[in-house]
Amino acid sequence: MSVMSQDVKVVAPAATTRQALRLFAERRRSFWVVLSLLVLFTAWEIAGRVPISFAFPTFLDTLAALAEMVADGSMVRAFFLTLQPLVLGVAISALLGIALGIVMGLSDRMEWLLAPVFIVLQAAPMAALVPLVTFVYGIGLVAKTLAVIMLALPVIVLNSYKAVRHVNPSLVDMCRSFQGTRRQQIFKIIIPDAAPVLFAGLRLGVAAGFIGVMLAELLITPTGIGDLITYHRSVANYAHMYAAVASIIAASTVTLAVLQWFETNVMRPEKRRS
Amino acid sequence: MTLFGYRIPMMASLIVWALVWEIVGRLDLIFLIPPMTAIIVAGFDLMQTGSWQNATLVTVRSFVIGMALAIGVGVPLGVMMGRVKIIDNIFGLWVNIFVSAPLSALVPVLMILFGMGEATIVVTVFLFAVWIIVLDARAGVMQVPPSLVEMARSYGASRATIMRKIILVAALPEILAGIRIGVIRGVKGVVIGQILVAVIGYGELFELYSRSFDMERFWALTLFLFAAAMVLSAVVENAEKRIEYYAGAR
Amino acid sequence: MNATALAADEFDPASVVTRDPVVRVEGICKHYGSVEALRGIDLQFERGKLTTLLGPSGCGKTTLLKIIAGLVPATSGRIIVNGRAVTGPGPERAFVFQDFALMPWATVLRNVGFGLELKGVPADERNRIARSYIGEVGLQGFEDKYPHELSGGMRQRVGIARAFAVNADVLLLDEPFSAVDEQNRRKFQEDLLRLVEMERKTFIFVTHSIEEAVYVSDRIVLLSPRPGRVSNIIDPRIDRTADPDDIRRDPGYLDVVEEIWQGLRHYAE
């Protein structure tokens, strides 16, 4: 969300209208956020009014459907169900992925053995394997959690591994020059220095987890938001269906923005000024 | 890694894993994992079948059209966002949202809008690939050194010439990097789209084989896709390296 | 206020008088694959003196310093510190890094006390020691700041305080002022001379600035590039009791600078 996080700059007073406009644009980031939201929602509303398709509700209808689903509690219940495999899967991927990534970053043998596997898994369309999960683990929480792990784990592993490999070598030398043990080197230098990138990997893992959980809910068994989407589609309640889709995209966007904020403001205090 | 003084290339460990797979498969522990050799044999058999050839054709066609659209729309949009502040301000938010949004949730919407056919797959590929291409093209254009543009202007180059001969060329490494990630995402998009639509291309075959528990063919199909993703990514990476040859001096 | 130096042509390492050597470098060679970085380096470093390794880029001066520190293994030859051969980093040596090597997530206080923290010194004691050295380098009041809140010059003061805090006999400084701006650098050089005077430690200093080397050094070792060898050893013998600004105008000082430049100019393109 680089657009939102850029600093507001103070610029000298403008002479022409054109410059004044540019000045305004630079000072008012929030204005542009609102404007770009408005532009898309207006375009959506117009496209819905035309309508471009019988299955394309207007923005206002969708908003009303969203309000209705929030009011009758079905949205809250759906999110409760969807977030379970997501949180569980991301938590397991985070623990396992960061541990594996750090081991791969520290040991050349483990790097040789594991890095190619995760490079392939990250580049490959893991979605193809989601149907397999149902064979072994059925259609319950375990299957959906596994689907989240399959998509989230590779990106977390590879980022953790790169984070450890890109630790500032001068800090490692510094630790050695003061006769730090290997253990001290790992816990006092390598992990703290890699932490911002580890966290960034976690954020990418969360994004992949959202894709995984939606895939699982649409493919394995309709529950949660996936069920809302499938059900309202089957009864041609398109406004409700769109609202469900928009709600999960919004939920993922807000989650990722919060993580990004945390990363830049807490994990990298030294980058805050730049 | 080095062993007995010889450097062993990293990707060689995949052979070790294939061997482990073969052993696990031979032991007949899980019906999900047939021996690797059986999968490879099944893969060769599969290539002879009309259904596979047909599915591959459909898949490749949707992928190519979707990618062409993503590049055709993504690069110009990214370049414009990099050059024009207002466009950047209006589109930036949405590009940043969609680049990491769970687009798999959007596929059901596409299915009712574009039908249960190839059009939906094309749009899915497009939507998976386009955002990262936009972002990287924008980043590429924004990091073109202003001194380079000023140099061209001082020699009297027109706006069009500056765009064509300076900005696009200087941004090429980033644009290609974006296309490479876009290609990887596009492959994921084509698979997710087909699996969710489930009546065309590989999606139909996956559905068929998983229902009939034909694990050898299921894995053969998966290996095809994995290999295709890796090969495509390697091809674009190769192009990228050639470009970086001169970009390295930047 | 007269500066004398050995003539470049008749230099012989064995004839250079060194009393009480703390660090002995004996026949150090270093190869990186097929590249020869250092060839047959023999040197001795005296207690309480500041010796500079000076040379054009690519002469291996930083490599030699890191070999003395035990951070980089030599291909052949040995380093002897206080009579014992070096096999790795040791408590009698402390390193000051060109890029400061400060932990961005730690305060000035923790950074300065980090060497003691690694040795398991209790927090109270290491904070007391760290505070006294923070005072010595002129950073009182900055104990709880983070490195990114400090200027480049202040960061290197933290790096120097950290090296002093472990009370090593030998201080190894790798181009410590190269990332510091010109005004601060002069102040630094004066502060460094004060510290050499006060602490009676052995300083080995790497720089590529001739003026800096002549100004701060008791002895200058000139290295020639590709492969790195000792090409000359010069004792500037500058009267440090004089005012710093007078020293920089002293003809003796300027003569040594000129002599070194004549020795090095054919390495410049």
Side-chain angles (χ1 to χ4, degrees):
Chain A
M1 307 288 283
S2 58
V3 178
M4 294 174 78
S5 61
Q6 263 162 19
D7 283 349
V8 177
K9 286 187 193 118
V10 184
V11 193
T16 65
T17 342
R18 198 189 148 100
Q19 275 174 321
L21 269 174
R22 186 170 298 166
L23 195 71
F24 184 66
E26 272 171 21
R27 283 193 182 164
R28 295 274 173 161
R29 288 282 155 199
S30 55
F31 165 81
W32 287 106
V33 171
V34 174
L35 184 73
S36 58
L37 289 170
L38 271 179
V39 166
L40 190 102
F41 292 150
T42 312
W44 182 349
E45 182 69 23
I46 293 167
R49 294 252 172 125
V50 169
I52 55 166
S53 159
F54 71 93
F56 198 87
T58 64
F59 172 66
L60 292 175
D61 287 346
T62 309
L63 213 55
L66 185 69
E68 188 196 319
M69 285 194 290
V70 172
D72 72 9
S74 60
M75 188 65 102
V76 179
R77 265 197 310 280
F79 265 106
F80 179 69
L81 285 173
T82 300
L83 289 180
Q84 282 176 27
L86 182 65
V87 170
L88 210 56
V90 168
I92 294 170
S93 304
L95 287 176
L96 195 64
I98 290 179
L100 272 174
I102 289 175
V103 167
M104 276 159 61
L106 293 175
S107 148
D108 285 349
R109 278 165 195 277
M110 293 309 274
E111 178 194 21
W112 180 82
L113 192 65
L114 295 175
V117 176
F118 285 103
I119 288 170
V120 170
L121 291 187
Q122 202 208 354
M126 287 297 274
L129 298 180
V130 170
L132 275 191
V133 176
T134 51
F135 288 156
V136 190
Y137 298 99
I139 54 170
L141 182 64
V142 180
K144 280 183 284 184
T145 306
L146 271 173
V148 172
I149 293 174
M150 277 163 53
L151 271 90
L153 185 63
V155 69
I156 295 179
V157 169
L158 283 183
N159 263 275
S160 312
Y161 152 71
K162 282 179 192 154
V164 172
R165 290 272 156 179
H166 288 141
V167 160
N168 183 354
S170 171
L171 281 181
V172 175
D173 267 357
M174 186 274 289
C175 185
R176 284 175 57 213
S177 82
F178 289 111
Q179 304 101 57
T181 59
R182 178 70 170 155
R183 205 186 144 80
Q184 285 175 325
Q185 199 183 92
I186 292 170
F187 287 100
K188 286 182 188 278
I189 299 289
I190 294 178
I191 293 178
D193 200 36
V197 187
L198 291 179
F199 192 82
L202 221 54
R203 184 164 48 82
L204 295 176
V206 170
F210 266 99
I211 294 180
V213 80
M214 287 320 295
L215 211 55
E217 288 189 347
L218 292 172
L219 211 58
I220 299 175
T221 165
T223 44
I225 300 294
D227 178 45
L228 283 185
I229 296 172
T230 320
Y231 168 73
H232 288 296
R233 182 175 137 209
S234 65
V235 297
N237 252 342
Y238 294 126
H240 290 74
M241 176 196 174
Y242 278 56
V245 171
S247 75
I248 190 74
I249 289 177
S252 128
T253 302
V254 170
T255 311
L256 296 175
V258 168
L259 290 175
Q260 175 98 62
W261 180 89
F262 187 81
E263 194 182 319
T264 43
N265 288 277
V266 182
M267 304 296 283
R268 302 176 189 254
E270 72 276 12
K271 295 270 166 72
R272 227 180 311 177
R273 292 177 160 191
S274 60
Chain B
M1 192 181 79
T2 50
L3 201 65
F4 308 120
Y6 291 97
R7 234 191 123 258
I8 304 168
M10 194 144 89
M11 283 297 165
S13 68
L14 288 178
I15 297 170
V16 175
W17 288 107
L19 277 173
V20 171
W21 185 310
E22 178 71 19
I23 293 164
V24 173
R26 288 279 170 91
L27 292 175
D28 233 354
L29 294 174
I30 324 168
F31 87 99
L32 272 183
I33 300 180
M36 190 49 101
T37 43
I39 294 171
I40 292 166
V41 171
F44 279 106
D45 287 345
L46 199 60
M47 281 159 83
Q48 320 290 324
T49 62
S51 58
W52 180 81
Q53 289 163 1
N54 196 29
T56 305
L57 186 72
V58 170
T59 306
V60 170
R61 196 164 54 205
S62 349
F63 176 75
V64 169
I65 299 172
M67 277 312 297
L69 282 173
I71 295 169
V73 173
V75 173
L77 181 59
V79 170
M80 284 201 302
M81 282 171 64
R83 297 295 296 169
V84 187
K85 195 97 200 165
I86 290 182
I87 298 180
D88 191 31
N89 279 322
I90 291 176
F91 284 95
L93 179 69
W94 292 106
V95 173
N96 277 296
I97 285 178
F98 280 111
V99 78
S100 48
L103 293 168
S104 43
L106 216 55
V107 177
V109 172
L110 301 178
M111 284 197 271
I112 54 167
L113 286 179
F114 297 96
M116 303 288 276
E118 255 186 273
T120 297
I121 312 296
V122 169
V123 177
T124 309
V125 172
F126 171 81
L127 284 178
F128 267 73
V130 71
W131 312 109
I132 189 69
I133 296 177
V134 172
L135 276 187
D136 276 19
R138 172 182 177 273
V141 167
M142 288 192 113
Q143 58 80 52
V144 174
S147 61
L148 213 56
V149 177
E150 279 159 15
M151 179 276 292
R153 198 172 290 153
S154 75
Y155 284 107
S158 67
R159 271 179 161 263
T161 314
I162 290 176
M163 178 58 88
R164 201 159 35 91
K165 294 204 169 167
I166 305 283
I167 292 168
L168 281 185
V169 177
L172 202 53
E174 281 79 12
I175 292 177
L176 275 175
I179 291 177
R180 180 170 57 85
I181 307 175
V183 163
I184 293 174
R185 290 188 169 203
V187 173
K188 293 182 179 177
V190 84
V191 172
I192 287 176
Q194 291 193 345
I195 284 186
L196 287 176
V197 173
V199 292
I200 56 166
Y202 279 20
E204 186 188 9
L205 294 185
F206 270 125
E207 184 79 9
L208 187 71
Y209 300 147
S210 57
R211 269 181 199 208
S212 56
F213 300 106
D214 189 347
M215 281 302 114
E216 284 164 17
R217 289 192 162 188
F218 183 96
W219 280 110
L221 212 53
T222 310
L223 287 189
F224 274 134
L225 284 173
F226 278 32
M230 296 309 286
V231 167
L232 275 173
S233 144
V235 167
V236 185
E237 204 167 345
N238 198 25
E240 240 178 289
K241 283 212 178 102
R242 285 183 191 196
I243 296 293
E244 268 164 19
Y245 172 72
Y246 75 76
R250 217 160 45 189
Chain C
M1 233 201 265
N2 55 339
T4 49
L6 289 153
D9 305 314
E10 43 202 271
F11 139 77
D12 168 19
S15 74
V16 177
V17 190
T18 307
R19 297 153 301 181
D20 189 16
V22 176
V23 179
R24 291 216 303 271
V25 174
E26 296 179 351
I28 288 292
C29 298
K30 178 68 185 175
H31 296 256
Y32 286 105
S34 59
V35 179
E36 191 179 8
L38 292 170
R39 179 187 288 173
I41 308 279
D42 289 294
L43 287 170
Q44 300 194 334
F45 298 91
E46 221 173 303
R47 186 180 307 282
K49 298 288 182 193
L50 191 150
T51 308
T52 294
L53 305 175
L54 177 67
S57 56
C59 72
K61 51 192 189 294
T62 293
T63 306
L64 180 58
L65 195 72
K66 288 197 167 171
I67 290 174
I68 296 172
L71 291 171
V72 172
T75 309
S76 65
R78 58 179 191 160
I79 305 286
I80 292 166
V81 179
N82 287 338
R84 271 197 298 271
V86 161
T87 51
E92 73 289 346
R93 283 158 289 147
F95 203 96
V96 175
F97 291 81
Q98 183 177 2
D99 63 355
F100 322 135
L102 301 181
M103 301 175 293
W105 59 86
T107 59
V108 167
L109 187 65
R110 187 169 171 222
N111 265 299
V112 172
F114 190 67
L116 301 167
E117 183 184 334
L118 290 179
K119 288 182 175 63
V121 175
D124 287 352
E125 199 187 334
R126 71 171 184 252
N127 285 345
R128 188 180 54 73
I129 297 171
R131 275 178 212 284
S132 85
Y133 281 99
I134 288 170
E136 196 132 318
V137 297
L139 285 178
Q140 299 98 321
F142 290 93
E143 286 86 353
D144 297 322
K145 296 280 185 213
Y146 287 86
H148 69 95
E149 297 170 305
L150 307 178
S151 69
M154 290 159 97
R155 288 183 209 180
Q156 193 56 293
R157 285 174 193 271
V158 176
I160 289 171
R162 178 175 60 192
F164 273 109
V166 293
N167 197 21
D169 295 337
V170 182
L171 280 140
L172 308 164
L173 301 98
D174 181 14
E175 304 201 21
F177 310 144
S178 67
V180 175
D181 61 60
E182 187 59 37
Q183 288 79 20
N184 277 309
R185 188 190 305 213
R186 288 206 171 186
K187 182 81 178 65
F188 252 113
Q189 291 163 353
E190 283 156 24
D191 289 354
L192 180 67
L193 286 175
R194 192 173 54 81
L195 285 168
V196 173
E197 199 70 25
M198 268 172 40
E199 294 275 341
R200 289 289 298 163
K201 292 179 188 299
T202 307
F203 290 77
I204 306 178
F205 187 91
V206 162
T207 184
H208 58 252
S209 159
I210 298 173
E211 286 81 3
E212 181 169 278
V214 176
Y215 183 68
V216 301
S217 309
D218 295 303
R219 169 165 296 173
I220 298 170
V221 175
L222 279 176
L223 296 173
S224 62
R226 281 173 288 270
R229 279 154 303 163
V230 177
S231 76
N232 203 353
I233 294 178
I234 293 166
D235 291 354
R237 301 212 181 101
I238 285 173
D239 176 16
R240 308 229 186 271
T241 55
D243 184 67
D245 293 321
D246 287 339
I247 294 177
R248 291 186 206 271
R249 277 197 295 270
D250 174 53
Y253 164 86
L254 295 170
D255 286 349
V256 181
V257 170
E258 181 58 22
E259 185 196 341
I260 294 173
W261 166 238
Q262 291 304 332
L264 289 176
R265 70 180 305 163
H266 63 277
Y267 296 122
E269 294 169 83

